Amino acid sequence: MAINFENGLGIHQYSLGIRAQRAEVLSSNIANSNTPGYKARDVDFASAMNSARSHQQGLQMSQTTDKHFDLKALSQEHVKFRVPNQPDTGDGNTVDSQQEQAAFMQNSLEYQMSLGFLESKFTGMRKAIRGD
């Protein structure tokens, strides 16, 4: 019997990729907190996960092999500009450093949690293969 990773890992593989992408976007915001005119961005996690769920059912991408993943769920289409919580400081920058750092830390914890879920899935599959 063949192991189907798509069914075995579920949505967790996509969650991990989306959280990694969000970490990149948030770190870019933090790095540009003093850049005039820079607009803070964030990943719309809910829409990215919904997209991943819909792609998980059937891969619609043009493929050279049936083993390829559909990476549209991890594309930049879910990165949006954030509505600023603070008034404009005059330079057009919408980054709130404290908010970005808090979001980055929360995302880091959620990333670690997603890694834990994937680890438990792999542990379960390994036990099933060995017959433990």
Side-chain angles (χ1 to χ4, degrees):
M1 175 191 296
I3 295 176
N4 184 341
F5 285 108
E6 194 74 24
N7 293 335
L9 300 178
I11 200 74
H12 300 298
Q13 61 185 333
Y14 295 109
S15 166
L16 194 65
I18 295 167
R19 292 198 190 287
Q21 181 186 25
R22 185 167 189 236
E24 290 177 21
V25 170
L26 292 173
S27 64
S28 177
N29 288 347
I30 293 169
N32 287 293
S33 63
N34 293 323
T35 304
Y38 185 83
K39 306 297 182 204
R41 301 178 310 145
D42 202 352
V43 173
D44 184 357
F45 188 80
S47 87
M49 286 302 288
N50 286 335
S51 177
R53 273 191 203 101
S54 68
H55 288 93
Q56 186 181 22
Q57 301 304 320
L59 302 177
Q60 304 299 320
M61 188 169 117
S62 175
Q63 303 167 329
T64 56
T65 177
D66 61 351
K67 305 285 187 211
H68 288 170
F69 289 117
D70 185 356
L71 298 178
K72 185 175 182 191
L74 303 178
S75 70
Q76 292 289 322
E77 72 181 78
H78 301 291
V79 177
K80 311 250 189 271
F81 289 103
R82 182 180 292 147
V83 176
N85 291 334
Q86 62 186 13
D88 187 4
T89 58
D91 65 355
N93 188 310
T94 62
V95 176
D96 179 357
S97 295
Q98 293 176 346
Q99 178 186 2
E100 299 300 329
Q101 290 173 355
F104 188 84
M105 284 301 295
Q106 180 179 357
N107 188 64
S108 296
L109 292 171
E110 291 167 347
Y111 183 87
Q112 290 295 321
M113 190 173 59
S114 293
L115 280 175
F117 286 138
L118 277 175
E119 180 183 13
S120 69
K121 293 286 188 178
F122 278 116
T123 300
M125 287 194 297
R126 188 176 14 208
K127 285 181 180 180
I129 291 169
R130 290 182 183 165
D132 292 344

